[in-house]
């Protein structure tokens, strides 16, 4: 397991639940000081109380001013060396019923949320000539899925941002990567399962099987598996890894 120094300060957006919470816990266990950022103070406080993080910051990643203020406060406590831009949201609808507002919501959270957090932390990283930026994208950023065109478009945009920014920062001591989980066992996925049950009348087991079939291993991904990949990318041994979009999906892509 990669080990990080307590002098390493990691900021994890959407760090209070699901994949973000697993990432926060892994980074903290490895030795980093972790600040979780999100909209729900109670959820963030629970993450701190559990030991998954040491500090919490309330902000909506879709709101640039909110993110900039929260990051400045966290950085004043300790410079930020690691950003895990994990916060995201998913909505499904046929393309014909996906209006401009739906596309805007998906872009604001899933893409601009990454942009806002990255722009807030990158200047300090460049000044110190060290840093790790990891965006949690999705296999939907590497391939298409029916009925989530807006979500998939936003995640594809994240991959494009990562690949371009990695080239800009290649000689700076900062690496920029993405991890792309397949369907993962989180409360966010529970919404998809409930949606399948509601629309098709299938049982919970059948709904899970419908999602699991995308994974050649025939299962859902565990949040800890995504966290382990992020932890490796944040370690010293991954200094030559940048501009990559690593699928954590059992061979799906």
């Amino acid at each position: 397991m990669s080990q990080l120094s307590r002098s390493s300060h990691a900021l994890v957006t959407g760090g209070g639940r699901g994949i973000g919470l697993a990432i926060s816990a892994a980074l903290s266990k490895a030795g980093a000081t972790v600040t979780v950022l999100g909209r729900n103070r109670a959820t963030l406080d629970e993450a701190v109380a559990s030991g998954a993080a040491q500090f919490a910051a309330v902000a909506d990643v879709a709101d640039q001013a909110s993110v900039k203020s929260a990051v400045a406060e966290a950085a004043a406590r300790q410079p930020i060396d690691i950003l895990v831009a994990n916060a995201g949201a998913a909505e499904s609808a046929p393309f014909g019923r996906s209006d401009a507002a739906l596309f805007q919501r998906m872009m604001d959270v899933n893409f601009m949320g990454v942009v806002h957090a990255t722009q807030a932390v990158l200047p300090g990283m460049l000044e110190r000539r060290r840093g790790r930026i990891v965006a949690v994208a999705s296999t939907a950023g590497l391939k298409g899925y029916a009925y989530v065109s807006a979500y998939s478009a936003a995640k594809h945009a994240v991959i494009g941002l990562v690949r371009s920014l990695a080239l800009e920062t290649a000689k700076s001591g900062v690496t920029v990567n993405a991890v792309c989980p397949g369907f993962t066992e989180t409360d966010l996925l529970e919404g998809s399962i409930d949606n399948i049950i509601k629309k098709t009348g299938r049982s919970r087991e059948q709904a899970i099987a419908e999602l699991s079939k995308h994974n050649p291993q025939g299962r859902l991904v565990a949040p800890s598996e995504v966290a382990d990949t992020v932890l490796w990318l944040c370690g010293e041994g991954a200094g030559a890894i940048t501009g990559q979009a690593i699928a954590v999906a059992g061979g799906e892509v």
Side-chain angles (χ1 to χ4, degrees), residues 155-218:
K155 292 299 189 178
H156 272 73
V158 171
I159 302 302
L161 171 68
V162 163
R163 289 172 173 163
S164 295
L165 187 56
L167 295 177
E168 287 191 33
T169 59
K171 296 181 180 179
S172 71
V174 177
T175 65
V176 187
N177 292 288
V179 294
C180 301
F183 288 103
T184 306
E185 294 180 275
T186 66
D187 54 352
L188 185 64
L189 188 71
E190 286 296 322
S192 298
I193 293 171
D194 290 343
N195 198 34
I196 292 173
I197 293 171
K198 181 179 178 181
K199 290 185 176 181
T200 68
R202 294 175 181 173
S203 68
R204 176 177 171 79
E205 291 70 24
Q206 289 172 325
I208 292 174
E210 177 67 22
L211 298 174
S212 299
K213 74 179 185 181
H214 295 282
N215 184 327
Q217 293 180 338

Side-chain angles (χ1 to χ4, degrees), residues 8-46:
S8 294
H9 184 189
L11 178 75
V12 182
T13 70
R17 53 188 279 206
I19 291 174
L21 181 60
I23 291 169
S24 299
L27 291 169
S28 185
K29 185 176 180 180
T33 296
V34 178
T35 297
V36 286
L37 182 149
R39 293 179 298 177
N40 189 311
R41 166 61 74 176
T43 300
L44 299 175
D45 287 344
E46 287 175 9

